[in-house]
Amino acid sequence: MTTGVIPGEQSPEPRPTGPELPDQRRGADGQGALHVDDRTRSSVITARAAASFEPLGRSVATARSFVRDTLQGWGFGDIVDDAVVLTSELVTNAVVHAGTAADVLCLRSDDGVRIEVSDRYPEREIPLQSSAVNMGSPDREGGRGLQLCAALAGRWGVEYTPTHKNVWFQLDLPERPVGTRAAGPSLPADLLPLADGRVRVAVVQIDRGGSITAWNEDAEDLFGYAAEQVTGKPLTDLAAWPHTPGTGTGIAEALQLSRWEGSYGIRGAHGRVIPVYASHLRVRDTGGEPSTVCLLVRDHERAVLQTPLRGSATGDAGAATEGASTDPFEVFIGSPAPDDLDGLLQRTVERARDMLDGDAAFLLLATDDETELEVRASTGLPSARQRFARVPVEAGPGRYGSARMPSVHDDLAAVPGAVPLLGGTGMRSVVTVPLKVEGRLTGSLGVAAESPGRYSNEEALRLQFAADRIALAVESARLGELERLRRGSLSFLVEASDLLAGTLDRDQTLALMAQMTVPTLATWCAVYTIADQASEPYLSYVLHEDEELIDGIKSLLSKIAPPDPVPTPGARVWNAPGEAAHQAALRSSMRSLSLGDSHHRIGTTIGPTLATASAVGGETVVLPLVARNRVIGMLTLGKPTDEHFRQEILELAEDLSRRAALALDNARLYSERTAISQSLQRSLLPPGLPQVEGVEVEVIYRAAGEGNEVGGDFYDLFPIRDGAYGFAIGDVCGTGPEAAAVTGLARHALRLLAREGFGGPAVLERLNSAILDEGARSRFLTLLYGELWPQEDGSAELKVVCAGHPLPLRLRQDGTVEPAAEPQPLLGVMEDLELYEQTVTLEPGDVLLCVTDGVTERREGTRMLGDDGLADVLTTCTGLTAGAVAARIMRAVERFAADAPSDDMAILAMRVPGVHK
């Protein structure tokens, strides 16, 4: 849809009119007649709004909203209903019946509004002026647009061009008595709306971004927040907006509309949600900056703000429609009917209550299997408690116990429980009738009164007649809502699956499960996990939309037995949290009453307890988390006091629980296997380095790859016998479990052979044979092995064998660097090796540096650190301790390239500090 608004524009040149452009008006005899409108649009156009709509069914509702919002924004509320009805019919003719796009143009002038609807159907025959016009039967699905124009519009006409057909109508503003916009009859005091002694109207102003900029004193009294506490905060932080995925308007959208009225909740400073009735008006300041002014009263005082329903048309318009056939549905529900299901159901119960002069009315919709009825709308009853509550279709034997037949109860006190919905409401008499479509039960409509004997079969027949008129419209609206909900549910589940698949961390999976359900599906949730079949369920995660209540709910749930881990699919009701919360609140209240006037004690005991009881006092359901034919946990969803879940939300939660269970089980398996892998990897490293008297030793080890603690590189330092130590640093070809297996073989074989008294060459030759014995699993190995003897004069004697490994470097006190060994063949390739050892003496202050090839082969593009680069870095380490030398080498390697290292690295530094005197 494309729109445009141009305020204060002069009317464009009128379209040429003449014999070929007829103006169709209803004649005095009520038949369609052909007239030529020779009057042009000479009034000054003060504003215009235009929109284009695609040839789709939903465009009709969008066009109605466009016209309604436009006229309400212009202050023409008196003619909004007529304009919306006419626009709806004309746009329906264009986008549904003709199958073309529709252009809607609204023109505002001093004396009224002109609306034009154009479609693009050039094949249509242009009617001749002299021919009679047959405007069709009012009972047809389409074709009523021109009849309604003739009945409701002050002027109207049809204009044709080779490419467009344009139907326009003009609605004149009614004359109003000065100072009066709408009035109602004088009523006795007992029939006036109920309000508190002093009615408080909270005035809240919201800026373009949705943040609060103004907060009056009545708002402070109603909600408990001072103006400085809320100024600058988004209204969404305080609003408890009734929203279902895929349906309805969100608060952000409502604040952008020119006008909006309706009910929602504001979360007060005490943590509870206060139901309010709101009237929003979109305004702009002198600088053109838009904002929204919100007037809020308590919900039971809605009469202060609620716009009165439009009465029946009078005067000329009423005379024009006199004698015309009337749609019984429109007579009962009012015209135009609400576009959304909730609005239609609420209008229905209000009309039913007024029609039978009742004190309350309710409407329930049947589930798909026709076994239960779900409360969807009520008036005169505690709707928050009743909404979405479910009752069985067959409540007992006989016609009075079935919702499939009309029934009249003269006195509910004589048959308690006959109508479960009315238990404890004070209603005494009730009449209920079914809603049926093609013989299938789709709902039930009831009207109740506080006095007994109010209704008879005559009222039942009247109510059944009305129910028959609305049943099809209600079912059509319900199916439309279900379709929107399913589309929203699919989008929700796709997003949930993506989020759950994006992590293998168990704690993060639990958090995601809770965050996806609160507040979209429930007000609070708790996740129980089961480690194994012998374990009890454990409370792992709790979340509430109000973070201040989380600790209270967690404490409450920890004191009651967890739900049974039943694998049966579907949600089951769990009453334990609500009962426990009620008992805790009762005990807290009784204790507080015996504490006198101790405000501090009362505020710190009863307050949180009552808030927790209110938070979990509604319906609570449990869904099993089943993965791989085993119950691994339970997902618990809850509502605050007196609220219920709707069936579609429970079905969506069940789909989510199946996906969440598999993600949680995958995270569990991954965590277990990661823990096992890391434990095995840690076993391949030395448990600790021994203290070598007279020699400083430092090791730095970095394994490449996420989650790896050990790779193909390894090191070791261990005592051989008194005063002698063995050390090694090596690199196994490849990575993964095979390389790790050779690492473990090499480290343990070195210790065993060295302690058996074998010298360096003999140790490596026997290790070479052990590696070759592994056959296909063998890997070649580069290894630097040596034996260390600290001397009494402060020096250290080393005997080393370098089998294919990067040569060790010796740093002298004068800063010179030289290799400390000669290269020899690597291990794991040839059977017969002839190795020899070399003796190296480290003088006081000398450093021996041993590294793996992950250090020397560090790359940045085509550059490589290499042996020379390593030697250059080592020359700068004169006078440093062994730990400082190893740290400087590692920093140099890391800074050599921007990318993370792709190979394992090990650094072994040994320094002889000398004898301290």
Side-chain angles (χ1 to χ4, degrees):
M1 183 187 78
T2 58
T3 62
V5 178
I6 310 173
E9 182 182 326
Q10 186 72 19
S11 171
E13 289 299 325
R15 294 185 176 94
T17 58
E20 71 280 9
L21 300 175
D23 178 20
Q24 297 181 358
R25 297 179 56 83
R26 181 173 294 278
D29 57 358
Q31 301 295 323
L34 204 64
H35 297 273
V36 176
D37 183 5
D38 55 1
R39 292 170 293 178
T40 62
R41 292 175 286 172
S42 58
S43 320
V44 174
I45 303 301
T46 57
R48 69 187 300 172
S52 298
F53 303 92
E54 298 176 354
L56 302 172
R58 63 174 181 270
S59 295
V60 179
T62 310
R64 286 196 294 263
S65 299
F66 165 70
V67 172
R68 179 182 291 111
D69 294 342
T70 299
L71 298 192
Q72 286 179 342
W74 289 348
F76 292 167
D78 303 82
I79 60 175
V80 164
D81 291 340
D82 289 340
V84 168
V85 170
L86 296 177
T87 303
S88 179
E89 289 293 334
L90 297 177
V91 174
T92 300
N93 290 341
V95 303
V96 176
H97 301 301
T100 76
D103 300 325
V104 179
L105 174 65
C106 302
L107 301 173
R108 182 182 71 183
S109 61
D110 296 333
D111 55 351
V113 171
R114 173 175 170 133
I115 298 179
E116 301 178 1
V117 178
S118 301
D119 64 36
R120 303 160 190 174
Y121 195 20
E123 296 83 4
R124 216 176 260 160
E125 181 182 358
I126 299 179
L128 299 176
Q129 181 179 5
S130 59
S131 62
V133 179
N134 178 15
M135 293 196 292
S137 168
D139 294 329
R140 293 178 53 201
E141 179 183 0
R144 294 192 295 261
L146 300 184
Q147 288 181 300
L148 288 173
C149 286
L152 300 178
R155 297 171 55 211
W156 68 282
V158 183
E159 300 174 355
Y160 287 90
T161 70
T163 58
H164 288 76
K165 187 189 91 168
N166 181 59
V167 182
W168 62 270
F169 59 90
Q170 182 163 327
L171 298 174
D172 300 324
L173 293 176
E175 296 183 1
R176 311 176 194 164
V178 177
T180 302
R181 180 168 181 253
S186 299
L187 296 175
D190 58 346
L191 297 181
L192 296 175
L194 181 65
D196 292 344
R198 178 194 166 194
V199 177
R200 291 177 170 81
V201 180
V203 181
V204 183
Q205 192 158 4
I206 313 299
D207 63 15
R208 181 198 297 266
S211 299
I212 298 172
T213 58
W215 184 270
N216 72 341
E217 293 182 359
D218 281 355
E220 295 183 13
D221 292 338
L222 281 175
F223 309 123
Y225 300 105
E228 56 269 17
Q229 292 179 275
V230 296
T231 301
K233 293 184 177 180
L235 182 62
T236 52
D237 289 355
L238 305 179
W241 189 265
H243 178 60
T244 300
T247 65
T249 301
I251 186 170
E253 291 82 1
L255 292 174
Q256 298 299 318
L257 299 176
S258 59
R259 283 183 181 273
W260 185 88
E261 277 190 31
S263 298
Y264 51 92
I266 296 293
R267 190 174 293 104
H270 46 59
R272 294 189 296 274
V273 174
I274 302 171
V276 298
Y277 188 83
S279 176
H280 297 175
L281 176 65
R282 189 79 165 159
V283 299
R284 62 185 174 92
D285 59 19
T286 54
E289 180 65 19
S291 62
T292 302
V293 178
C294 307
L295 305 181
L296 309 165
V297 297
R298 292 185 178 91
D299 193 56
H300 66 270
E301 297 173 342
R302 63 169 57 197
V304 175
L305 298 180
Q306 193 168 24
T307 302
L309 297 175
R310 186 172 70 97
S312 58
T314 58
D316 296 339
T321 59
E322 187 177 0
S325 61
T326 309
D327 187 349
F329 170 74
E330 291 189 359
V331 170
F332 177 75
I333 206 66
S335 178
D339 298 330
D340 62 305
L341 176 62
D342 289 337
L344 177 62
L345 300 182
Q346 192 61 37
R347 179 83 65 86
T348 298
V349 296
E350 291 170 357
R351 290 289 194 271
R353 178 197 59 187
D354 298 341
M355 185 178 72
L356 298 188
D357 193 23
D359 297 313
F362 52 88
L363 193 150
L364 303 86
L365 295 183
T367 56
D368 291 337
D369 58 3
E370 299 183 33
T371 59
E372 287 187 313
L373 295 166
E374 187 178 68
V375 180
R376 291 300 302 270
S378 64
T379 182
L381 296 174
S383 57
R385 174 168 66 88
Q386 303 294 350
R387 186 168 169 81
F388 300 126
R390 289 175 292 281
V391 297
V393 170
E394 307 293 343
R399 60 172 293 188
Y400 294 102
S402 174
R404 302 181 187 277
M405 298 290 292
S407 64
V408 178
H409 290 280
D410 293 330
D411 192 354
L412 291 176
V415 282
V419 183
L421 186 65
L422 300 180
T425 62
M427 299 297 160
R428 297 286 297 277
S429 54
V430 62
V431 53
T432 61
V433 297
L435 276 68
K436 293 186 176 181
V437 175
E438 297 179 351
R440 183 173 59 87
L441 179 69
T442 60
S444 177
L445 176 64
V447 179
E450 294 180 352
S451 58
R454 282 279 295 274
Y455 303 115
S456 64
N457 288 339
E458 181 180 352
E459 281 80 9
L461 289 174
R462 291 178 59 197
L463 189 61
Q464 184 67 70
F465 179 80
D468 292 341
R469 302 282 75 77
I470 66 168
L472 185 59
V474 168
E475 180 66 4
S476 176
R478 186 185 74 88
L479 293 176
E481 182 193 66
L482 284 177
E483 180 61 26
R484 290 191 297 273
L485 179 61
R486 284 172 181 142
R487 288 199 299 267
S489 299
L490 288 175
S491 176
F492 173 78
L493 291 174
V494 168
E495 182 179 357
S497 298
D498 288 343
L499 290 173
L500 291 171
T503 179
L504 286 172
D505 182 82
R506 176 182 176 277
D507 293 337
Q508 189 173 0
T509 302
L510 290 172
L512 283 174
M513 290 170 58
Q515 291 166 8
M516 285 185 293
T517 56
V518 176
T520 305
L521 305 182
T523 306
W524 66 272
C525 87
V527 184
Y528 291 85
T529 57
I530 303 174
D532 51 60
Q533 295 180 352
S535 302
E536 292 294 323
Y538 173 76
L539 181 62
S540 298
Y541 203 91
V542 175
L543 184 66
H544 190 281
E545 62 182 7
D546 186 348
E547 293 183 358
E548 296 180 356
L549 297 176
I550 294 177
D551 290 339
I553 297 176
K554 187 181 298 184
S555 176
L556 175 72
L557 294 177
S558 64
K559 296 176 182 177
I560 62 177
D564 295 331
V566 178
T568 305
R572 69 181 192 277
V573 177
W574 187 33
N575 295 321
E579 295 172 355
H582 175 74
Q583 293 297 326
L586 182 61
R587 289 193 300 269
S588 180
S589 299
M590 294 177 65
R591 286 196 303 268
S592 67
L593 292 176
S594 63
L595 295 176
D597 296 327
S598 177
H599 174 76
H600 174 72
R601 293 287 300 275
I602 294 176
T604 57
T605 58
I606 188 173
T609 303
L610 291 178
T612 302
S614 175
V616 303
E619 187 175 38
T620 302
V621 297
V622 177
L623 297 105
L625 298 174
V626 181
R628 298 175 176 90
N629 299 320
R630 188 175 72 87
V631 180
I632 63 170
M634 285 88 70
L635 177 63
T636 303
L637 306 180
K639 287 281 191 178
T641 300
D642 297 335
E643 291 193 19
H644 298 264
F645 289 97
R646 59 184 303 178
Q647 188 62 33
E648 292 83 4
I649 292 297
L650 293 181
E651 293 172 358
L652 180 58
E654 185 178 356
D655 284 341
L656 176 63
S657 68
R658 286 194 290 266
R659 290 165 169 79
L662 188 59
L664 182 61
D665 199 43
N666 288 338
R668 178 188 62 83
L669 293 174
Y670 177 78
S671 299
E672 290 178 356
R673 293 178 181 179
T674 299
I676 294 172
S677 174
Q678 291 176 347
S679 177
L680 291 174
Q681 290 183 57
R682 283 192 294 270
S683 69
L684 301 178
L685 294 177
L689 297 179
Q691 293 291 332
V692 180
E693 184 177 356
V695 179
E696 298 174 358
V697 179
E698 183 66 25
V699 174
I700 295 179
Y701 185 84
R702 296 284 188 273
E706 182 180 358
N708 291 331
E709 295 193 16
V710 177
D713 292 5
F714 69 95
Y715 67 92
D716 201 358
L717 176 66
F718 55 91
I720 300 175
R721 50 190 174 271
D722 293 340
Y725 296 86
F727 66 91
I729 183 169
D731 184 2
V732 179
C733 174
T735 58
E738 294 82 0
V742 177
T743 297
L745 170 65
R747 195 174 69 82
H748 292 292
L750 287 175
R751 288 193 172 210
L752 180 63
L753 294 172
R755 287 170 178 171
E756 288 294 324
F758 292 100
V763 168
L764 268 59
E765 289 168 1
R766 284 164 174 75
L767 176 59
N768 180 65
S769 299
I771 294 174
L772 293 175
D773 289 342
E774 292 292 310
R777 295 181 301 174
S778 66
R779 294 285 189 276
F780 64 80
L781 168 67
T782 68
L783 179 64
L784 172 66
Y785 173 75
E787 296 179 359
L788 169 67
W789 287 275
Q791 303 297 313
E792 293 182 358
D793 61 356
S795 63
E797 183 177 333
L798 291 82
K799 292 183 179 181
V800 297
V801 180
C802 186
H805 198 77
L807 300 179
L809 298 180
R810 176 180 180 178
L811 171 65
R812 296 183 181 274
Q813 282 187 312
D814 59 3
T816 60
V817 175
E818 61 184 7
E822 297 176 353
Q824 300 185 58
L826 51 77
L827 307 181
V829 178
M830 298 180 294
E831 292 185 1
D832 297 326
L833 288 180
E834 294 184 3
L835 303 175
Y836 59 91
E837 62 184 7
Q838 297 174 271
T839 301
V840 179
T841 301
L842 295 181
E843 300 297 337
D846 288 356
V847 175
L848 184 70
L849 178 66
C850 310
V851 300
T852 58
D853 61 4
V855 174
T856 57
E857 294 180 4
R858 176 75 162 141
R859 294 179 180 275
E860 173 70 18
T862 58
R863 298 187 308 119
M864 186 173 73
L865 179 63
D867 297 332
D868 294 338
L870 179 63
D872 292 340
V873 177
L874 186 58
T875 57
T876 66
C877 298
T878 304
L880 299 182
T881 63
V885 171
R888 179 169 293 186
I889 297 298
M890 178 57 71
R891 283 198 303 271
V893 172
E894 291 175 344
R895 293 173 179 174
F896 188 79
D899 297 337
S902 59
D903 195 4
D904 305 326
M905 291 186 292
I907 300 174
L908 172 62
M910 292 184 291
R911 178 176 179 266
V912 180
V915 178
H916 297 283
K917 297 182 180 180

